[in-house]
């Protein structure tokens, strides 16, 4: 224990010595570290100017690189014309992608010169190349259109329009649609050209400006027919160059297709074949054709007297190309072609949006629509002109067309959703036909009023020409039962003008209403005819001839009402009408019998 205690002082001295040594070393380290920090601070201060100089040098290097790149870029603008000239000369028919890249370079170079130096000769050269390039692209686009599309064969269009069976009897044989027959390569090329022309924008317009300063870029007015206007407002709508070119081509193609359809119909009439009715139509009221006989403008019809024949031949010569059946077929073909245009434009994707597509449809249909409207208006005007001469047989032409409007009404409703600009002109046309048909029916009744017309009667008291003509007229109307009934009940139905085609889709589902209205008209005509015959009988000087004349005409009327089936339609409205006429006939027979008895008695006495 004492040994340990004796060692404590020595150990404490050692510890204190170590502490002093550590303190000394720490002090020396602090001095060295402080000197190092001071040296570092001095070094940093000395490096600041050098760092600034290095940063400045780096900035200068970047500026030099930017200038070099910019100079190279500018040099490319000046070299563009020389490098792409041969590509532009060769045209886009070789490699369209290479040609588009060359046109992009020209466009970018022109943007540079427009912003910096429009006086340089290279600017003029590039403008010339761009103008030539645009012409070549437009020409190539037109070539693609001509190579890819042609008129629809008239025979196929006729069969589709009339819904006739195929010659081989296969009704389900598909017809190759135009949108399916175009090759993918042609579609891709047209789309590339269209996209580039659309993106070229104002540069393309400026470059393609002619010497007279007029821009060839299409600027079309909005379609406006019969006072209509586009619902979107504004006075005009500008289509892109390629889409306008496409619309022009398709518009002309549609018109030529319809013309060839007419020529085909004329050719098959020169070589008559057994005709067939439209396969989707049932009932006599919707039968379009009768084997061996064509209805329309040139049909044999009603002539009231010899004087009314004057001027008929000249009218026929003026409109000898008019044919109501041809016109009805053209209406069906028109709707078929519109649907094909919709499918085709959807596949090509040339329109950027629905509004542009809507306007394109309207532009494509414009010429064909005007032709149909003008021809339809001619029928109406001609009918109103010949009513005064009693040429009521022409009503068959209007009824043939009106019947086709009824048949096509579901298709019109669907089409008008796509091309709304057709609604107003086609609705106006349908209502013009309807109003003229109704006016003709009313004028026909007026011609039958007692005392109207010539008082000349057959000397032998046989059937008057008036009775035979009236029954022939009514018999012709039987083929248009639904159409006649629709016209006669239109005002009663109070159809809004904008719902015209929608209402027409419902008339075939209401045959009894149409049949009853037709029966009422037959009754009115027959009643007026009997009254007119009674009035004409006064021209005879003796009662016996007067009675015989009345009996012959009444018997003729009753016999033909039953023979033609008009009596069945008449019974739909009034079942007692025929009985009344029969009763009048029987009374006339009694009068005739008494007159004969009195005549013989007077001669015997």
């Amino acid at each position: 224990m004492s040994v340990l205690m004796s060692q404590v002082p020595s150990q404490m001295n050692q510890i204190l010595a170590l502490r002093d040594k550590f303190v000394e070393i720490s002090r020396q380290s602090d001095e060295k570290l402080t000197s190092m920090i001071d040296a570092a601070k001095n070094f940093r201060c000395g490096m600041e100017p050098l760092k600034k100089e290095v940063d400045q040098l780096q900035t200068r290097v970047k500026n030099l690189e930017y200038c070099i790149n910019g100079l190279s870029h500018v040099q490319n603008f000046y070299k563009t014309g020389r490098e792409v000239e041969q590509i532009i000369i060769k045209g886009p028919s070789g490699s369209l992608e290479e040609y588009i890249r060359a046109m992009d370079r020209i466009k970018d170079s022109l943007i540079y010169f427009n912003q910096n130096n429009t006086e340089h000769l290279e600017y003029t050269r590039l403008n010339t190349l761009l103008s030539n390039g645009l012409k070549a692209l437009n020409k190539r686009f037109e070539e693609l259109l001509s190579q890819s599309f042609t008129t629809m064969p008239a025979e196929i269009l006729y069969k589709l329009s009339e819904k006739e069976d195929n010659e081989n009897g296969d009704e389900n044989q598909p017809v190759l649609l135009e949108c399916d027959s175009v090759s993918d390569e042609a579609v891709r090329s047209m789309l590339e050209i269209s996209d580039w022309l659309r993106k070229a924008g104002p540069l393309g317009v400026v470059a393609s400006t002619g010497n007279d300063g007029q821009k060839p870029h299409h600027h079309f007015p909005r379609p406006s027919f019969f006072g209509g206007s586009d619902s979107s407002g504004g006075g005009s709508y500008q289509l892109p160059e390629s889409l306008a070119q496409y619309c022009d081509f398709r518009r002309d193609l549609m018109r030529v297709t319809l013309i060839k359809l007419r020529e085909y119909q004329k050719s098959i009439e020169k070589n008559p074949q057994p005709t067939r009715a439209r396969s989707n139509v049932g009932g006599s009221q919707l039968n379009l054709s009768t084997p061996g006989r064509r209805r329309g403008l040139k049909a044999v019809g009603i002539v009231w007297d010899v004087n009314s024949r004057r001027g008929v031949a000249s009218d026929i010569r003026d409109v000898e190309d008019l044919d109501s059946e041809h016109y009805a077929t053209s209406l069906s073909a028109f709707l078929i072609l519109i649907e094909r245009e919709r499918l085709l434009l959807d596949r090509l994707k040339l329109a950027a949006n629905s509004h542009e597509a809507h306007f394109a449809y309207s532009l494509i249909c414009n010429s064909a629509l005007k032709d149909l409207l003008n021809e339809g208006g001619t029928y109406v005007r001609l009918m109103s002109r010949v009513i005064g001469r009693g040429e009521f047989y022409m009503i068959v032409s209007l009824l043939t067309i009106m019947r086709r409007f009824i048949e096509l009404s579901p298709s019109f409703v669907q089409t008008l959703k796509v091309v709304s600009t057709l609604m107003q002109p086609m609705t106006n046309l349908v209502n013009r036909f309807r109003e003229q048909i109704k006016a003709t029916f009313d004028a026909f009744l007026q011609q039958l009023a007692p005392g109207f017309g010539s008082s000349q009667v057959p000397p032998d008291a046989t059937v008057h020409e008036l009775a035979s003509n009236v029954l022939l007229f009514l018999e012709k109307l039987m083929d248009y039962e639904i159409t006649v009934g629709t016209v006669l009940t239109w005002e009663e139905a109070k159809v809004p003008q904008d719902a015209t085609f929608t209402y027409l889709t419902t008339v075939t589902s209401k045959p009894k209403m149409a049949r009853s209205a037709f029966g009422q008209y037959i009754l009115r005509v027959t009643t007026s005819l009997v009254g007119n015959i009674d009035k004409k009988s006064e021209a005879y000087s003796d009662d016996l001839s007067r009675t015989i004349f009345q009996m012959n005409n009444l018997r003729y009327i009753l016999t033909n009402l039953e023979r033609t089936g008009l009596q069945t339609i008449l019974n739909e409205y009034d079942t007692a009408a025929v009985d009344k006429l029969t009763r009048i006939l029987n009374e006339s027979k009694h009068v005739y019998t008494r007159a004969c008895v009195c005549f013989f008695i007077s001669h015997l006495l």
Side-chain angles (χ1 to χ4, degrees):
M1 184 67 180
S2 59
V3 175
L4 291 173
M5 291 299 294
S6 61
Q7 293 178 353
V8 168
S10 62
Q11 291 179 350
M12 289 296 294
N13 291 332
Q14 290 177 358
I15 292 172
L16 291 173
L18 289 172
R19 185 198 64 180
D20 295 339
K21 187 176 181 180
F22 177 77
V23 170
E24 180 64 23
I25 292 172
S26 297
R27 184 184 60 78
Q28 293 175 358
S29 298
D30 289 341
E31 291 176 355
K32 290 180 180 180
L33 183 60
T34 300
S35 63
M36 289 176 64
I37 291 173
D38 292 339
K41 288 181 179 179
N42 293 333
F43 179 78
R44 181 179 179 183
C45 292
M47 289 295 295
E48 284 294 333
L50 181 61
K51 182 177 180 299
K52 290 181 180 180
E53 292 179 2
V54 171
D55 291 340
Q56 291 176 356
L57 287 174
Q58 290 178 344
T59 302
R60 291 174 183 175
V61 170
K62 290 180 180 179
N63 289 338
L64 286 174
E65 290 177 350
Y66 180 80
C67 290
I68 292 172
N69 292 333
L71 180 60
S72 176
H73 189 60
V74 171
Q75 287 177 338
N76 286 333
F77 292 146
Y78 283 89
K79 294 188 297 181
T80 296
R82 183 173 65 256
E83 292 177 352
V84 304
E85 185 173 14
Q86 290 302 316
I87 298 176
I88 300 300
I89 292 175
K90 290 179 181 178
S93 56
S95 173
L96 181 60
E97 293 182 0
E98 182 183 18
Y99 195 88
I100 292 294
R101 286 196 297 269
M103 292 294 290
D104 282 333
R105 288 190 61 186
I106 294 174
K107 182 186 69 172
D108 294 339
S109 299
L110 278 174
I111 292 175
Y112 166 78
F113 282 105
N114 277 328
Q115 295 174 349
N116 297 279
N117 187 3
T118 57
E119 302 297 329
H120 199 280
L121 291 177
E122 188 66 18
Y123 177 72
T124 304
R125 181 182 188 179
L126 289 171
N127 260 322
T128 302
L129 288 175
L130 181 63
S131 178
N132 293 337
L134 285 171
K135 291 177 182 177
L137 281 177
N138 286 322
K139 183 179 179 181
R140 178 56 182 165
F141 191 80
E142 185 176 355
E143 289 175 354
L144 289 170
L145 292 175
S146 301
Q147 294 169 4
S148 303
F149 308 121
T150 184
T151 56
M152 186 176 182
E155 182 179 2
I156 294 177
L157 183 57
Y158 178 76
K159 289 182 177 181
L160 290 175
S161 301
E162 295 300 327
K163 292 184 170 57
E164 289 189 348
D165 299 340
N166 295 323
E167 293 181 0
N168 58 5
D170 184 7
E171 297 183 13
N172 297 321
Q173 181 177 349
V175 178
L176 184 63
L177 295 177
E178 203 168 12
C179 59
D180 297 329
S181 62
V182 184
S183 67
D184 293 336
E185 178 65 23
V187 172
R188 184 186 62 80
S189 298
M190 283 188 282
L191 191 57
E192 285 185 4
I193 295 175
S194 176
D195 287 344
W196 193 91
L197 291 175
R198 185 187 294 271
K199 293 175 183 177
L203 272 180
V205 177
V206 172
S208 58
T209 302
N211 295 330
D212 56 356
Q214 296 294 325
K215 296 179 181 180
H217 197 74
H218 293 259
H219 192 73
F220 298 101
R222 292 187 185 274
S224 178
F225 309 108
F226 295 103
S229 61
D230 194 289
S231 59
S232 60
S236 61
Y237 183 80
Q238 183 169 305
L239 283 179
E241 179 80 16
S242 56
L243 183 55
Q245 188 176 357
Y246 171 82
C247 291
D248 288 345
F249 181 86
R250 297 298 304 182
R251 179 190 61 203
D252 295 339
L253 200 63
M254 177 183 286
R255 192 175 189 186
V256 171
T257 300
L258 292 175
I259 291 174
K260 289 187 175 181
L261 175 62
R262 292 290 183 97
E263 294 173 351
Y264 172 76
Q265 288 180 277
K266 292 177 182 178
S267 67
I268 61 177
E269 287 172 3
K270 292 179 181 178
N271 302 297
Q273 299 176 354
T275 57
R276 289 173 288 185
R278 289 166 62 86
S279 59
N280 68 328
V281 177
S284 62
Q285 71 274 13
L286 294 180
N287 184 23
L288 278 183
S289 56
T290 302
R293 182 182 68 179
R294 295 189 63 259
R295 304 187 192 94
L297 180 63
K298 301 169 187 175
V300 177
I302 311 302
V303 178
W304 290 91
D305 54 50
V306 176
N307 292 330
S308 69
R309 291 185 173 89
R310 296 175 182 174
V312 175
S314 62
D315 283 337
I316 296 297
R317 283 195 300 270
D318 292 340
V319 291
E320 60 182 3
D321 289 334
L322 288 180
D323 190 298
S324 57
E325 290 185 345
H326 291 182
Y327 184 81
T329 303
S330 294
L331 287 174
S332 300
F334 181 61
L335 292 180
I336 292 172
L337 294 177
I338 290 178
E339 176 62 15
R340 290 166 66 87
E341 292 298 336
R342 185 188 68 80
L343 295 173
L344 184 59
L345 194 58
D346 285 349
R347 184 188 176 194
L348 296 179
K349 295 180 174 58
L350 297 179
N353 50 59
S354 59
H355 181 71
E356 202 168 83
H358 169 82
F359 190 78
Y361 298 141
S362 302
L363 191 61
I364 292 171
C365 302
N366 192 11
S367 291
L369 175 63
K370 286 183 178 179
D371 290 342
L372 291 173
L373 294 177
N374 291 336
E375 186 175 352
T378 301
Y379 281 105
V380 175
R381 289 193 303 271
L382 188 59
M383 184 74 248
S384 63
R385 204 165 70 210
V386 300
I387 284 180
R389 296 199 301 266
E391 295 296 320
F392 292 102
Y393 70 85
M394 271 198 59
I395 193 66
V396 174
S397 296
L398 271 67
L399 289 172
T400 298
I401 297 170
M402 188 67 186
R403 180 175 59 187
R404 185 59 64 91
F405 274 120
I406 293 175
E407 295 173 8
L408 297 176
S409 55
S411 299
F412 267 110
V413 170
Q414 295 300 320
T415 301
L416 294 179
K417 294 178 181 178
V418 179
V419 193
S420 60
T421 51
L422 294 179
M423 177 177 290
Q424 184 173 345
M426 295 308 295
T427 299
N428 289 343
L429 182 62
V430 169
N431 282 295
R432 288 183 68 192
F433 272 96
R434 176 187 57 79
E435 291 168 359
Q436 186 57 56
I437 292 171
K438 181 63 166 58
T440 305
F441 287 157
D442 293 341
F444 186 78
L445 270 174
Q446 292 175 4
Q447 296 268 11
L448 294 175
F452 193 91
S454 174
S455 60
Q456 185 178 1
V457 293
D460 54 357
T462 54
V463 176
H464 196 278
E465 181 185 23
L466 177 64
S468 61
N469 283 337
V470 169
L471 268 298
L472 176 61
F473 180 80
L474 292 177
E475 184 181 359
K476 285 180 178 292
L477 297 186
M478 289 184 64
D479 287 337
Y480 306 91
E481 181 182 313
I482 293 291
T483 306
V484 172
T486 300
V487 171
L488 294 175
T489 58
W490 193 275
E491 294 179 359
E492 179 184 348
K494 297 180 180 179
V495 183
Q497 186 171 5
D498 57 354
T500 296
F501 283 104
T502 304
Y503 177 75
L504 290 179
T505 61
T506 66
V507 297
T508 54
S509 63
K510 305 173 184 177
K512 289 186 177 180
M513 184 175 70
R515 196 176 181 88
S516 177
F518 188 20
Q520 182 184 16
Y521 184 73
I522 294 173
L523 178 60
R524 294 176 64 191
V525 169
T526 305
T527 303
S528 297
L529 175 61
V530 172
N532 193 296
I533 292 295
D534 288 343
K535 186 66 176 179
K536 290 183 185 301
S537 66
E538 297 176 0
Y540 293 101
S541 57
D542 59 288
D543 293 340
L544 187 60
S545 297
R546 187 180 302 116
T547 303
I548 293 174
F549 178 70
Q550 293 172 347
M551 287 173 53
N552 285 336
N553 282 277
L554 272 173
R555 185 183 295 108
Y556 178 82
I557 292 171
L558 288 169
T559 301
N560 280 275
L561 285 176
E562 182 179 5
R563 178 187 61 82
T564 59
L566 289 168
Q567 180 176 333
T568 305
I569 301 175
L570 178 58
N571 289 338
E572 290 285 338
Y573 176 72
D574 187 355
T575 56
V578 175
D579 293 337
K580 293 176 183 177
L581 293 176
T582 304
R583 188 164 53 251
I584 295 174
L585 177 60
N586 291 333
E587 291 174 357
S588 298
K589 288 181 180 179
H590 292 312
V591 172
Y592 172 73
T593 302
R594 288 195 299 270
C596 288
V597 171
C598 293
F599 177 78
F600 284 115
I601 291 174
S602 64
H603 276 277
L604 288 175
L605 296 177

